[in-house]
Amino acid sequence: MKILGIETSCDETAAAVVEDGYRLLSNAVASSMDLHAAYGGVVPEIAARSHIEVIMPVISQALKDASATWDDIDGIAVTYGPGLGGSLLIGVMTARTLSITKNKPLYAINHITAHSYANFLTETSLPGYTLASRQPEFPLLALIVSGGHSQLILFRSNFDYSVLGRTRDDAIGEAFDKVAKIIGLPYPGGPSISKRAGSGDPHKYKLPKAHMDGAYDFSFSGLKTAVLRTAQTAVGKSYDFPSFEIAPLLTDTQQADLAASFQHTAVETVVEKTIAAYDEFKPKSVVIAGGVAANRELRSQMSERLPIPIEYTDMKLCTDNGAMIAAYGCYMAEFGHETADPYSLDIVPNLSM
Ligand code: KG4
Ligand code: ZN
């Protein structure tokens, strides 16, 4: 069973072919990230326009790389939410049209649920991919950490899951991006903070960890504000000093120490919640997904503190991609999950789980 996955919820236009839920046959991605960098964040109109321009070439590339023709494809899986409305529309309208014209079943996929399924891919002949050596087992605890989401999900089986916790305000990746802006590091903030943190002292500045009522909920907005206040103080200014004027005043050491202290606190927060959830629910496997899963500090703290081994999938499958959508689509097809109506499937930008 071969499923074509289409993903356009944010700034990546992605398509991939996955066979039987574990074999990655292709993974084509075009990102408009460079176009957004000048603005310090994703500009929805630019993202949508760029999806229109590249979606068909990206799908053709995915089929070509998989050495597949439309005859080989058993179904089309597409992200219908959550995400940016204009961006989601391009993927969904394209998938609907292809479903009708190529006569393929259509599967509507929740982007956040699908993130975890990047970890179900264990085989590929594509060059340059390091995949997990075996599939995770249920019950499965998944930590989804990206620019748009921070969630802890407990999967009892493929379609039976509970959200244990989610962010009350900013997603963790968003916090990395905003803090980077304050301390003068380029967008996207995750990689640039992580790099800068390498030469900083993670214990130089004491930053607060949010304590939430919901045991597994996250909050990162307070941490971001604490970094701002700490930076204002570090450059000898008061709390009404504009955030965008701080960066030029920071010394290299202050910048590195702020990056390291922020990263350490943010990562420790999600690791502590994950370990607490592990202790309570005793899952057989734990996976991490989303762009922030690339973070080395996160991987090392998690491996160190988790009592069971954890595998990390390739970075190209942590950030937004079509393969995770196709993989989840494979399980929907395999287990006879309801298909979507290609004449009426609508986007749901604020879709929850
Ligand atoms: O999953 P993703 O590509 O897009 C969303 O669905 O949001 O995640 C992008 C986010 C950005 O906020 C970026 O700063 C963050 O992932 N990120 C990282 C790292 N690489 C990317 N955060 C921390 N450390 C990294 N190495
Ligand atoms: Zn995502």
Side-chain angles (χ1 to χ4, degrees):
M1 163 125 45
K2 288 181 186 157
I3 300 287
L4 170 73
I6 299 174
E7 154 65 38
T8 64
S9 67
C10 191
D11 59 341
E12 263 99 20
T13 316
V17 180
V18 169
E19 186 174 17
D20 297 336
Y22 70 93
R23 199 172 298 124
L24 177 67
L25 300 183
S26 65
N27 186 38
V29 185
S31 174
S32 58
M33 176 139 47
D34 294 348
L35 303 176
H36 305 289
Y39 305 94
V42 175
V43 182
E45 289 80 2
I46 294 179
R49 193 182 322 141
S50 135
H51 285 309
I52 297 179
E53 285 168 5
V54 300
I55 182 108
M56 287 316 294
V58 166
I59 291 172
S60 303
Q61 188 70 45
L63 291 172
K64 183 167 166 253
D65 293 349
S67 304
T69 66
W70 280 107
D71 287 343
D72 302 316
I73 299 298
D74 299 292
I76 300 172
V78 66
T79 303
Y80 75 112
L84 300 170
S87 290
L88 288 166
L89 257 184
I90 311 301
V92 166
M93 292 313 287
T94 305
R96 283 173 54 179
T97 308
L98 290 169
S99 163
I100 294 165
T101 56
K102 308 292 182 188
N103 194 24
K104 307 289 176 188
L106 181 63
Y107 297 96
I109 308 284
N110 180 317
H111 176 90
I112 305 178
T113 318
H115 257 301
S116 316
Y117 280 74
N119 296 281
F120 282 71
L121 298 164
T122 54
E123 251 186 59
T124 189
S125 51
L126 296 177
Y129 279 82
T130 314
L131 303 181
S133 64
R134 59 191 187 93
Q135 289 198 313
E137 290 177 77
F138 297 109
L140 164 65
L141 179 65
L143 172 69
I144 317 288
V145 276
S146 76
H149 2 273
S150 310
Q151 304 208 344
L152 261 174
I153 304 161
L154 184 69
F155 287 85
R156 282 168 224 93
S157 66
N158 285 305
F159 311 114
D160 176 15
Y161 51 75
S162 315
V163 178
L164 302 179
R166 54 163 55 89
T167 184
R168 296 285 183 84
D169 38 60
D170 293 354
I172 181 171
E174 198 178 347
F176 270 89
D177 296 337
K178 287 177 176 171
V179 165
K181 215 169 178 172
I182 295 171
I183 64 174
L185 292 169
Y187 173 85
S192 60
I193 285 189
S194 163
K195 197 164 156 226
R196 199 74 188 86
S199 50
D201 173 3
H203 303 289
K204 171 75 190 184
Y205 300 107
K206 189 107 195 79
L207 299 167
K209 272 186 238 157
H211 291 284
M212 312 298 299
D213 299 339
Y216 300 114
D217 279 350
F218 304 107
S219 163
F220 292 102
S221 152
L223 175 57
K224 173 201 65 193
T225 307
V227 173
L228 172 62
R229 300 286 175 248
T230 308
Q232 284 163 326
T233 308
V235 297
K237 301 287 180 184
S238 62
Y239 289 171
D240 52 13
F241 188 70
S243 64
F244 54 88
E245 287 180 22
I246 297 172
L249 304 178
L250 289 170
T251 65
D252 282 358
T253 311
Q254 285 172 328
Q255 187 191 49
D257 289 345
L258 282 166
S261 301
F262 161 75
Q263 173 177 264
H264 182 77
T265 309
V267 164
E268 205 168 59
T269 306
V270 292
V271 171
E272 277 170 4
K273 301 260 176 185
T274 309
I275 301 297
Y278 176 86
D279 289 341
E280 180 173 350
F281 299 100
K282 295 281 183 306
K284 282 210 176 110
S285 303
V286 178
V287 298
I288 308 185
V292 184
N295 189 275
R296 271 208 216 99
E297 169 90 14
L298 174 57
R299 290 182 177 205
S300 76
Q301 279 197 31
M302 196 66 89
S303 297
E304 215 167 90
R305 296 186 53 185
L306 208 60
I308 55 169
I310 174 166
E311 290 197 277
Y312 303 100
T313 193
D314 200 279
M315 244 335 283
K316 298 186 279 299
L317 300 171
C318 285
T319 50
D320 289 349
N321 64 84
M324 64 190 201
I325 306 301
Y328 197 59
C330 284
Y331 293 99
M332 285 174 94
E334 184 183 332
F335 292 103
H337 197 282
E338 201 185 341
T339 56
D341 181 352
Y343 289 94
S344 67
L345 174 64
D346 207 354
I347 59 165
V348 184
N350 60 354
L351 181 67
S352 65
M353 293 192 58

